[in-house]
Amino acid sequence: MRALALLLGALACLFSIGCGSVGEPLYPAVNIPSRIVDLSVVERGNHIDIAFTIPPLTTEGLALKAIGSVELRVGPNRGTGFRSDEWAAAATREDVPAPSGPRPVRVRVAAQPFIGQEVIAGVRLANSKGRLSDWSNFVTLKIDEPLATPANLKAGAVPQGVSLSWTEPATSQFRVYRKAEQERQPSLLGATQEPNYLDSTAEYGKTYEYYVEGVRDQAVSETAGPVSITPKDAFPPAVPSGVTASAGVGSIELAWERNTEPDFKEYRVLRSQGDGAFVQIAAGLDGPSYSDRSVESGQRYRYRIVAADQSGNASEPSDPVEITTP
C-alpha cells in the first residue's frame, strides 16, 4: 500500500502546477529560406551581370543549411501594372545551380535577346522540399546596345605620376580602377570623359595594375586591363634659370631661381676660366646661391648650374653666365 501511495503522489506532482506543466506541441521547422534583399543588375558588354547574396537564415530565424533550387527570372513587364505572377510566367528562367550555403552569387545572362527592352529581374529560393521564399527586391533595367571595351590600354611613368591612355569607344564617361601591391581587389581611382587619365598619387618603386571601363547611362563595357607598371624616377629636375653673376670683394657671387621639385636634392656649380672646359667646383648646395672665392683679378670666368634630385637624376646645365673680375 505504501508503494502505491508513493506512485500516486508522484503522478499527482507531475501534473500539478508546482511540478511543471505540459507545453504546446512542437511542430517541425519548415526551413523556408529568407527573402533575398540585395539583388543588383547591370548591363556589362554583351551580358547582364546579376548579383545577390544567399541569406544565412530561414524565415524562422534558424540557420539555413540546404537550398533546393534558385529561381532567377529576367523578362519585360508586359502588363500595365506590375504583377509578379504574370511577370514570372512570361519571364525567362535562368539556370543557376543551387549553392551549398550562404554566399554571394554572380550570374551572367546574354543581353542580346533583351536589347531595346526594359526588363525586370527577380530571384527567389526554394528549400529541399520545393517550398519557396518570397521574391527578392525587383530591379528594372533598360537594355541598350552593348558598349565596346576600351582598347590599347597603356600606362607610362611621367614626372607627375602614371599616365594612362586607351582607344576611345563611343561612350560618355570612363571609370579607372587601380590595384596596388598587397591589395586583393582593384578600387575605383577616378572618372574621366577623355580617353586618358593621370594618376598623380602613384609612388615610384611600387607596382600597380590599372583597369578601365566605359559607362553610358546604365550600360557598362567589359573591363580593359590589367596593365601593370612599376614607375621609376628617371626624370631630372628643371634646368636652373635666371642665373646671375656679380663681382664681390675677392669673389664672384652667383644666384639663380629656386627649383620647386618635391624630390630636389642639390645644386652643382660648373666653372670655366677663359675659354677652357667647364669643371665642377661645388656640389651639395641646398640654396640657389654660391660665392666663388677662388678667383683671380682680371680673369674671365663662365658659370653653369646643375640641379639634381634624390634619385641622382641631374638636369642639363643652365645657360652660361660670364663675368670678368675687376
Side-chain angles (χ1 to χ4, degrees):
M1 291 296 292
R2 180 176 177 79
L4 180 59
L6 291 174
L7 178 59
L8 292 174
L11 291 173
C13 179
L14 179 62
F15 290 101
S16 68
I17 295 177
C19 296
S21 60
V22 178
E24 294 292 329
L26 296 177
Y27 297 99
V30 293
N31 291 318
I32 297 176
S34 294
R35 173 177 175 266
I36 292 170
V37 296
D38 65 346
L39 180 69
S40 64
V41 183
V42 63
E43 180 184 0
R44 183 177 296 279
N46 295 319
H47 295 85
I48 302 172
D49 279 2
I50 301 173
F52 55 90
T53 304
I54 302 297
L57 301 176
T58 68
T59 55
E60 300 154 300
L62 303 175
L64 181 61
K65 297 181 179 179
I67 299 168
S69 63
V70 178
E71 183 181 351
L72 171 63
R73 293 189 178 272
V74 180
N77 181 27
R78 303 193 183 279
T80 56
F82 180 71
R83 291 178 56 88
S84 61
D85 53 347
E86 294 178 356
W87 161 82
T92 302
R93 179 166 181 170
E94 304 297 336
D95 182 27
V96 182
S100 58
R103 65 176 180 83
V105 176
R106 295 187 178 275
V107 182
R108 303 203 86 189
V109 176
Q112 185 63 38
F114 305 107
I115 291 178
Q117 301 182 65
E118 187 176 78
V119 299
I120 298 174
V123 63
R124 60 183 177 181
L125 306 174
N127 64 12
S128 57
K129 296 183 178 180
R131 299 195 62 176
L132 291 164
S133 70
D134 290 336
W135 283 106
S136 68
N137 57 301
F138 292 102
V139 178
T140 303
L141 182 68
K142 173 67 180 299
I143 306 301
D144 295 321
E145 288 291 335
L147 284 180
T149 305
N152 302 316
L153 176 60
K154 298 178 181 179
V158 295
Q160 299 83 8
V162 172
S163 177
L164 302 172
S165 64
W166 55 89
T167 302
E168 179 182 6
T171 182
S172 59
Q173 193 178 55
F174 300 94
R175 289 196 289 245
V176 180
Y177 297 84
R178 185 183 75 180
K179 186 171 82 68
E181 295 175 344
Q182 310 304 322
E183 293 180 349
R184 300 184 62 183
Q185 297 293 333
S187 57
L188 180 63
L189 184 62
T192 176
Q193 295 181 338
E194 303 297 329
N196 53 73
Y197 186 84
L198 174 64
D199 178 10
S200 60
T201 64
E203 299 179 29
Y204 292 127
K206 291 188 177 182
T207 300
Y208 300 95
E209 290 181 352
Y210 292 92
Y211 306 77
V212 176
E213 63 186 16
V215 182
R216 185 184 65 225
D217 298 327
Q218 293 180 295
V220 181
S221 75
E222 296 287 359
T223 303
V227 60
S228 180
I229 185 174
T230 305
K232 299 185 183 300
D233 183 5
F235 308 100
V239 177
S241 60
V243 183
T244 61
S246 59
V249 179
S251 67
I252 293 177
E253 303 298 325
L254 302 173
W256 55 92
E257 295 180 8
R258 183 181 296 274
N259 283 61
T260 59
E261 293 83 2
D263 62 341
F264 170 80
K265 181 181 180 182
E266 65 175 0
Y267 293 108
R268 302 166 187 170
V269 178
L270 309 180
R271 185 184 74 178
S272 165
Q273 186 170 354
D275 294 323
F278 280 92
V279 177
Q280 180 174 299
I281 61 170
L285 302 178
D286 296 330
S289 63
Y290 179 71
S291 180
D292 182 8
R293 299 184 179 280
S294 59
V295 295
E296 299 176 8
S297 177
Q299 295 294 316
R300 180 170 61 92
Y301 295 96
R302 294 181 295 152
Y303 295 90
R304 305 182 80 176
I305 310 299
V306 173
D309 64 16
Q310 299 290 340
S311 298
N313 299 305
S315 73
E316 291 294 321
S318 67
D319 292 334
V321 61
E322 183 175 314
I323 188 172
T324 300
T325 55

